[in-house]
């Protein structure tokens, strides 16, 4: 491994670590943001005139019916048009293969059955289980960086960094930034993190989008 690759790899690892921490921050706070936002929206709704509330309730019920009907129609369309076709399995990429290898290494150390066989105590088993869950999620998302970091933390042997690893890190960083960007643009997040004017804007936007109604707040 050249010095250039080594230094660039270390730099990207730091960047990936920051981005992943930002992803964790947003994903862990999002449920709370949703809960608080919808509580605020319900409070606004409760203060509206009764006839407006009734109108909104009718609209919600109609939307549920329309969604159910559309789902049924879509299912029927699929059944009518369904034909058996043979599709070739997608050839796994080198990244896919390395992700799978890392996942298996981590699973061999942290899978609940493996931990039980080794007689780990409750605390150690719980820690291992948390690592296993993270690895499983990373495997589903094909996130090489997370699996690589978990393997390092567990003291497992990992391949020496290569040019391909640099590309995979960049892919994972981009994916993480996309997640953060998506959450940051949600109405609930704008409300949760914003000042009073931002909160009012988010609530007005919500009622306009969902109920086609302009609230005065």
């Amino acid at each position: 491994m050249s010095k250039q690759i080594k230094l660039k790899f270390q730099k990207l690892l730091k960047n990936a670590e920051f981005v992943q921490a930002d992803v964790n921050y947003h994903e862990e706070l999002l449920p709370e943001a949703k809960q608080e936002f919808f509580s605020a929206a319900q409070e606004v709704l409760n203060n509206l005139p009764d006839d407006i509330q009734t109108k909104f309730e009718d609209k919600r019920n109609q939307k549920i019916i329309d969604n159910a009907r559309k789902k049924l129609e879509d299912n029927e369309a699929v059944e009518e048009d369904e034909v058996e076709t043979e599709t070739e399995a997608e050839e796994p990429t080198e990244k896919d293969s390395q992700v799978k290898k890392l996942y298996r290494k981590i699973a061999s150390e942290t899978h609940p059955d493996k931990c039980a066989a080794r007689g780990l105590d409750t605390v150690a088993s719980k820690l291992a289980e948390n690592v296993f869950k993270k690895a499983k999620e990373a495997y589903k998302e094909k996130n090489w960086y997370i699996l690589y970091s978990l393997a390092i933390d567990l003291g497992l042997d990992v391949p020496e960094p290569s040019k391909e690893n640099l590309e995979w890190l960049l892919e994972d960083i981009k994916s993480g930034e996309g997640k953060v960007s998506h959450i940051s643009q949600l109405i609930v997040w704008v409300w949760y993190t914003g000042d009073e004017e931002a909160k009012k804007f988010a609530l007005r936007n919500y009622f306009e989008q969902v109920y086609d109604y302009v609230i005065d707040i």
Side-chain angles (χ1 to χ4, degrees):
M1 175 178 58
S2 71
K3 184 176 182 180
Q4 183 184 26
I5 291 178
K6 181 179 180 179
L7 292 176
K8 191 170 184 179
F9 182 78
Q10 291 174 349
K11 179 182 176 181
L12 285 176
L13 273 181
K14 291 294 183 182
N15 193 0
E17 182 181 358
F18 171 81
V19 170
Q20 188 57 44
D22 204 19
V23 171
N24 294 341
Y25 169 81
H26 283 76
E27 290 183 339
E28 288 180 21
L29 284 179
L30 184 56
E32 180 179 297
K34 289 180 177 179
Q35 182 179 4
E36 292 190 11
F37 171 79
F38 286 115
S39 293
Q42 186 62 49
E43 186 176 343
V44 172
L45 183 61
N46 292 341
N47 290 324
L48 292 175
D50 291 343
D51 60 324
I52 298 297
Q53 292 188 43
T54 301
K55 180 181 178 182
F56 287 174
E57 185 64 31
D58 292 342
K59 192 167 187 175
R60 276 200 299 267
N61 292 336
Q62 187 59 50
K63 185 175 290 187
I64 291 172
I65 294 172
D66 291 344
N67 288 340
R69 182 184 294 116
K70 186 176 185 304
K71 187 175 181 180
L72 180 62
E73 291 172 350
D74 289 345
N75 288 339
E76 289 176 348
V78 169
E79 289 176 5
E80 290 173 2
D81 299 336
E82 195 173 36
V83 292
E84 292 185 2
T85 57
E86 293 184 3
T87 57
E88 294 183 3
E90 228 178 90
E91 198 70 28
T93 65
E94 179 62 22
K95 183 182 180 182
D96 293 337
S97 300
Q98 291 302 317
V99 161
K100 192 171 187 178
K101 286 180 182 178
L102 283 172
Y103 171 69
R104 285 180 171 176
K105 281 186 177 183
I106 296 169
S108 69
E109 295 289 327
T110 60
H111 191 284
D113 292 342
K114 300 287 185 180
C115 294
R118 296 204 305 273
L120 296 183
D121 60 37
T122 304
V123 174
S125 294
K126 188 64 178 177
L127 290 173
E129 182 182 353
N130 289 337
V131 173
F132 176 70
K133 287 179 179 178
K134 289 179 182 177
K136 191 174 182 180
E137 187 64 29
Y139 176 63
K140 288 180 181 177
E141 296 185 356
K142 299 181 180 181
N143 191 307
W144 180 85
Y145 160 71
I146 293 178
L147 291 168
Y148 177 84
S149 298
L150 292 174
I152 291 292
D153 291 342
L154 291 170
L156 303 177
D157 289 333
V158 294
E160 202 171 69
S162 64
K163 286 184 178 180
E164 287 77 16
N165 295 154
L166 299 179
E167 295 174 3
W168 302 345
L169 275 175
L170 286 170
E171 289 176 7
D172 295 336
I173 289 170
K174 186 176 181 180
S175 174
E177 289 173 339
K179 289 181 180 179
V180 170
S181 176
H182 171 71
I183 293 175
S184 298
Q185 294 176 51
L186 296 176
I187 289 177
V188 295
W189 192 263
V190 172
W191 180 90
Y192 184 70
T193 59
D195 57 18
E196 284 305 311
E197 284 306 312
K199 291 181 185 299
K200 291 178 181 179
F201 167 80
L203 284 169
R204 285 195 295 265
N205 199 297
Y206 170 75
F207 276 88
E208 287 178 20
Q209 286 188 28
V210 176
Y211 300 111
D212 192 24
Y213 182 81
V214 178
I215 59 173
D216 183 18
I217 57 173

